[in-house]
Amino acid sequence: MWRRPCPACHGGRLDTRLLPPTGDGLAVAGELLRAGRLVAFPTETVYGLGADATTPAAVAGIFAAKQRPADNPLIVHLAAAERMGEVASEVTPLAERLAAAFWPGPLTLVLDARPELPRETTGGLDTVAVRVPDHPVAITLLQVAAVPVAAPSANRSGRPSPTTAGHVLADLGGAIDAVVDGGSCPLGVESTVVDARGEVAVVLREGGVTREDLEQTGTSVAAEGEEAASPGTRHRHYQPSCRVQLAAPGRAAEEAAALAIAGEHVALLAREPAPDGVVEAGRFDDAGELAPMLYGALRDAELAGVDVVVVETVAEEGIGRAVMDRLRRAAD
Ligand code: TXA
Ligand code: MG
């Protein structure tokens, strides 16, 4: 991919800047985005890797840095719902209703794309995914940048999503221009992706806005179905370099202990404490507690050099559906 010559480059590597989430830091980040460069930033879900969604060369940089398959479309981030018409050719009544109910927030709406929006952004589709994130740093950055910002999760393709600036640097340091450090992401799992082109909301990816949340607004929600899945859900996803093994509730500690006795180096992410000889990757009571620690715990287990991390499953209700979706893919 062609990239503009960069004075900060060292042998093809960029000097990735860590920017504070202050006025000055965001002014620099906004200018970089307007100049077609790559800036990672925090959202309420996970860190996103941003680029100007209206500039094909900028968007191509995202795919190159992440090593992301070109057919996996990006989510366009906007500072306010009123700007949907800048990227979507038709804002349906369903989209208006869902945006009013859940934005800013972890809901992404798929709509017909304006013809002038680069097909690099939409992964070659005639539809576009849009959302308004619920994070003060993200919103200020989007206002300062003043362009629609395409941003997938800021991990190398296939890896657990990043929930801290450190996770972003671990995967993409040297490959992107800057990271705005806004601390940890409060929600920890990605947005819910909903096809909002018709009258019924079709959930393409489970996420931070639950089915129960959608139904509570009186919206009809289509039954889950493989054929409806987002293009991105086909690819390898959320996987650390160690194995991930799922264990039924109440069984995780004993399974971890058995693996350790068999000679494996094991970590445990569960409701129970880690038995002797097993690394504790984190403890939680329910899916709501597991969500914000999940990706970080997988990355920590990897850094601890374990062979396998055993994760206790959670009930598939509320945010538990998104958590279990990510866990199954991590364990795949
Ligand atoms: O919470 C999030 O959604 C985060 C933050 C940064 O906003 N972003 C994120 O992006 O998770 P990414 O690229 O990791 O996942 C985007 C998902 C993929 O499954 C992709 O296939 C789907 O959204 N998607 C994007 N555009 C689409 C479209 N036009 N039609 C169907 N699915 C689409
Ligand atoms: Mg992702």
Side-chain angles (χ1 to χ4, degrees):
M1 192 220 33
W2 179 85
R3 306 253 347 223
R4 211 168 309 209
C6 162
C9 284
H10 303 299
R13 276 178 70 81
L14 295 168
D15 212 354
T16 303
R17 297 173 68 176
L18 189 62
L19 297 170
T22 56
D24 286 351
L26 295 176
V28 171
E31 215 151 282
L32 284 168
L33 287 171
R34 272 199 307 282
R37 295 190 173 276
L38 304 181
V39 178
F41 60 95
T43 79
E44 80 280 32
T45 59
V46 300
Y47 274 72
L49 175 58
D52 178 355
T54 64
T55 304
V59 171
I62 291 179
F63 286 90
K66 283 196 55 146
Q67 298 165 289
R68 179 178 175 104
D71 66 350
N72 192 0
L74 306 176
I75 296 172
V76 177
H77 294 66
L78 304 171
E82 299 75 64
R83 304 187 68 160
M84 256 191 290
E86 289 177 26
V87 293
S89 60
E90 192 195 340
V91 178
T92 60
L94 174 61
E96 295 277 14
R97 275 208 316 278
L98 292 175
F102 297 106
W103 283 357
L107 179 70
T108 292
L109 301 175
V110 172
L111 294 167
D112 285 323
R114 289 186 75 96
E116 63 271 30
L117 189 73
R119 286 322 186 241
E120 285 80 357
T121 300
T122 67
L125 301 173
D126 291 332
T127 54
V128 61
V130 284
R131 89 175 187 101
V132 177
D134 186 15
H135 194 293
V137 173
I139 290 295
T140 309
L141 176 60
L142 291 166
Q143 286 165 346
V144 171
V147 290
V149 173
S153 50
N155 50 279
R156 235 180 316 115
S157 199
R159 301 214 357 100
S161 298
T163 53
T164 67
H167 297 161
V168 176
L169 287 173
D171 275 19
L172 299 176
I176 64 176
D177 295 284
V179 188
V180 179
D181 188 354
S184 297
C185 300
L187 199 52
V189 292
E190 298 83 347
S191 64
T192 304
V193 180
V194 166
D195 186 338
R197 288 175 296 164
E199 284 167 17
V200 172
V202 182
V203 177
L204 303 181
R205 179 181 72 179
E206 305 282 351
V209 167
T210 65
R211 265 167 201 280
E212 292 85 342
D213 294 334
L214 291 169
E215 279 158 1
Q216 258 169 28
T217 64
T219 305
S220 353
V221 183
E224 292 159 83
E226 275 290 311
E227 71 289 345
S230 257
T233 57
R234 283 195 301 268
H235 301 284
R236 190 178 91 82
H237 241 315
Y238 315 115
Q239 297 178 357
S241 56
C242 54
R243 274 167 28 239
V244 176
Q245 182 169 314
L246 306 188
R251 302 289 311 279
E254 64 189 271
E255 285 188 28
L259 287 166
I261 288 164
E264 295 216 78
H265 191 185
V266 188
L268 177 68
L269 177 57
R271 297 170 179 85
E272 303 156 87
D276 283 349
V278 171
V279 175
E280 192 158 278
R283 287 181 66 185
F284 59 87
D285 274 332
D286 55 26
E289 278 180 25
L290 177 55
M293 68 166 71
L294 174 61
Y295 293 134
L298 295 181
R299 284 173 176 270
D300 287 348
E302 173 184 276
L303 284 176
V306 301
D307 302 307
V308 55
V309 52
V310 176
V311 187
E312 188 172 353
T313 58
V314 294
E316 298 212 37
E317 57 197 24
I319 193 71
R321 272 203 205 86
V323 168
M324 284 306 300
D325 168 71
R326 306 309 190 265
L327 276 177
R328 269 195 217 95
R329 292 174 201 282
D332 204 13

